[in-house]
């Protein structure tokens, strides 16, 4: 019997759409709206944002979905408002109040507490998070009223700064961090450190890896409706844009072909071509041939090893 493969629905689109997510919409919902709007075959996102949060949500189409893990590993920048005086079970404004305090910290107390939250720290994630506990999501257990205890996890915080103090009840911060850092935990723990309780009242992500606010498109600009044409493909950024922070290495077409067959190449052949910014001990490079993006390779043990290559037409 002949096996027939079902043709995927939609258009075969490759590239990145940087959505400016509004508050009150989930990340998966944004991806679905973008997928329908562009009538795309395949889509995913590069890093979840809480429904309360606004800001950059990179949406990958087609082959760009292969590079999602590298975007999620990139530097992220957030700005949030910490409201003092109320602890909430979700550690943000969407949660239920669990504790109150009349204490309000001074600016000096906040500044004195911040250094402890910079660098390599250990952080307890919010109980309303996607972390699995005995095979179940923590947020599902929390919603069912199950007491959830999460272990501290390592986190990297490169910058945590007090930006503005609108009044005694609120403070605005900017954070630059790596992968898997919870802003809700940073806010909760800082409030505790200055002798009170608190939660995030507003949160916005302003950078994800090489993507910045200038790249962002409002969600309503891509939402499909019955009487409007699909959004323009000009809104999409090229697939390789997501990898702009990774050092580039130019190879010949012959070398690209060998990499495409899964062969690793000696770095001796690339003397003088390996970028200074590349880490020779396990670092990634963005490989191009005649200006065409070939894929990602890793420098290991004196070899250039293929890691994630793009299919070529």
């Amino acid at each position: 019997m002949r096996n027939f493969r079902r043709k995927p629905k939609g258009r075969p689109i490759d590239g990145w759409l940087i959505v400016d997510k509004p508050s009150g919409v989930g990340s998966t919902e944004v991806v679905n709206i973008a997928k329908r709007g562009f009538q795309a075959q395949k889509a995913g996102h590069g890093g979840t944002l809480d429904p309360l949060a606004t800001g950059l949500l990179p949406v990958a189409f087609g082959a760009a979905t292969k590079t999602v893990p590298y975007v999620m590993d990139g530097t992220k920048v957030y700005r949030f408002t910490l409201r003092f005086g109320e602890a909430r079970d979700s550690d943000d404004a969407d949660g239920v109040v669990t504790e109150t305090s009349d204490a309000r910290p001074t600016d000096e107390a906040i500044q004195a507490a911040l250094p402890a939250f910079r660098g390599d720290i250990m952080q307890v994630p919010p109980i309303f998070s996607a972390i699995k506990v005995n095979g179940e999501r923590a947020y599902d257990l929390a919603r069912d009223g199950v007491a959830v205890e999460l272990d501290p996890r390592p986190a990297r915080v490169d910058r945590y700064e007090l930006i503005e103090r609108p009044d005694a009840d609120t403070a605005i911060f900017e954070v630059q961090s790596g992968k898997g850092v919870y802003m809700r935990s940073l806010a909760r723990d800082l409030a505790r450190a200055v002798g009170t309780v608190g939660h995030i009242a507003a949160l916005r992500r302003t950078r994800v890896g090489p993507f910045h606010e200038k790249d962002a498109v409002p969600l309503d600009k891509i939402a499909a409706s019955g009487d409007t044409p699909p959004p323009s493909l000009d809104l999409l950024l090229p697939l390789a844009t997501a990898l702009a922070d990774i050092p580039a290495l130019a190879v010949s077409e012959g070398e690209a072909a060998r990499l495409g067959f899964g062969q690793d190449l000696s770095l001796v052949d690339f003397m003088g071509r390996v970028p200074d910014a590349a880490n020779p001990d396990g670092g990634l490079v963005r490989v191009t041939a005649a200006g065409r993006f070939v894929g990602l390779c890793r420098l290991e043990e004196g070899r250039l090893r293929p890691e994630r290559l793009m299919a070529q037409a």
Side-chain angles (χ1 to χ4, degrees):
M1 180 181 294
R2 181 182 295 178
N3 291 324
F4 293 95
R5 295 185 62 186
R6 181 177 295 177
K7 185 178 179 180
K9 293 181 179 180
R11 299 186 291 173
I13 297 172
D14 298 325
W16 284 92
L17 176 72
I18 314 306
V19 177
D20 191 339
K21 188 187 90 65
S23 182
V25 182
S27 297
T28 299
E29 185 178 352
V30 170
V31 172
N32 291 336
I33 290 171
K35 187 176 180 182
R36 287 194 302 269
F38 283 89
Q39 301 171 4
Q41 286 182 359
K42 186 177 183 180
H45 65 72
T48 302
L49 273 180
D50 295 333
L52 172 79
T54 67
L56 269 61
L57 182 69
V59 176
F61 292 113
T65 58
K66 296 180 180 180
T67 64
V68 163
Y70 306 102
V71 171
M72 294 179 69
D73 284 345
T75 296
K76 299 174 182 64
V77 176
Y78 298 85
R79 182 170 289 218
F80 67 77
T81 300
L82 169 53
R83 182 172 295 280
F84 298 110
E86 288 183 349
R88 302 203 175 201
D89 57 1
S90 63
D91 297 317
D92 65 17
D94 287 340
V96 175
V97 176
T98 58
E99 186 181 349
T100 62
S101 172
D102 293 329
R104 298 294 183 269
T106 63
D107 290 8
E108 291 75 18
I110 293 172
Q111 295 286 13
L114 282 172
F117 296 94
R118 298 178 185 134
D120 293 314
I121 65 172
M122 297 298 290
Q123 181 184 75
V124 177
I127 59 171
F128 282 83
S129 62
I131 292 171
K132 286 192 174 182
V133 180
N134 298 324
E136 296 191 60
R137 298 290 186 187
Y139 54 65
D140 288 331
L141 295 171
R143 286 173 186 147
D144 291 340
V146 178
V148 178
E149 291 189 13
L150 299 176
D151 294 328
R153 295 183 167 214
R156 175 73 191 180
V157 178
D158 297 310
R159 186 160 53 87
Y160 190 177
E161 297 178 356
L162 176 63
I163 300 299
E164 187 180 346
R165 191 74 190 275
D167 51 52
D169 292 332
T170 58
I172 299 174
F173 298 88
E174 190 165 84
V175 175
Q176 179 174 313
S177 67
K179 178 182 178 181
V181 179
Y182 289 92
M183 298 301 111
R184 287 176 289 155
S185 295
L186 285 179
R188 175 199 66 206
D189 295 344
L190 178 62
R192 293 283 186 188
V194 293
T196 185
V197 294
H199 65 273
I200 280 185
L203 170 64
R204 180 169 179 80
R205 186 160 67 190
T206 60
R207 177 186 169 189
V208 181
F211 302 130
H212 299 262
E213 286 185 291
K214 64 179 176 59
D215 303 312
V217 178
L219 184 60
D220 58 10
K221 193 171 182 178
I222 61 173
S225 63
D227 55 355
T228 59
S232 171
L233 293 178
D234 291 341
L235 295 174
L236 302 186
L237 299 176
L239 182 154
T241 308
L243 310 172
D245 289 349
I246 298 175
L249 173 63
V251 304
S252 68
E253 290 290 357
E255 290 164 340
R258 291 165 63 191
L259 291 169
F261 286 120
Q263 298 179 23
D264 58 320
L265 308 179
S266 171
L267 289 181
V268 173
D269 298 332
F270 295 93
M271 293 292 289
R273 283 192 281 165
V274 176
D276 293 338
N279 181 358
D281 187 20
L284 281 174
V285 288
R286 173 170 43 94
V287 176
T288 62
R292 170 177 56 85
F293 176 56
V294 175
L296 295 173
C297 292
R298 197 170 291 279
L299 309 179
E300 288 183 324
E301 299 175 345
R303 310 290 292 180
L304 181 67
R305 304 186 189 279
E307 174 154 321
R308 176 68 75 177
L309 300 183
M310 299 296 113
Q312 302 301 324

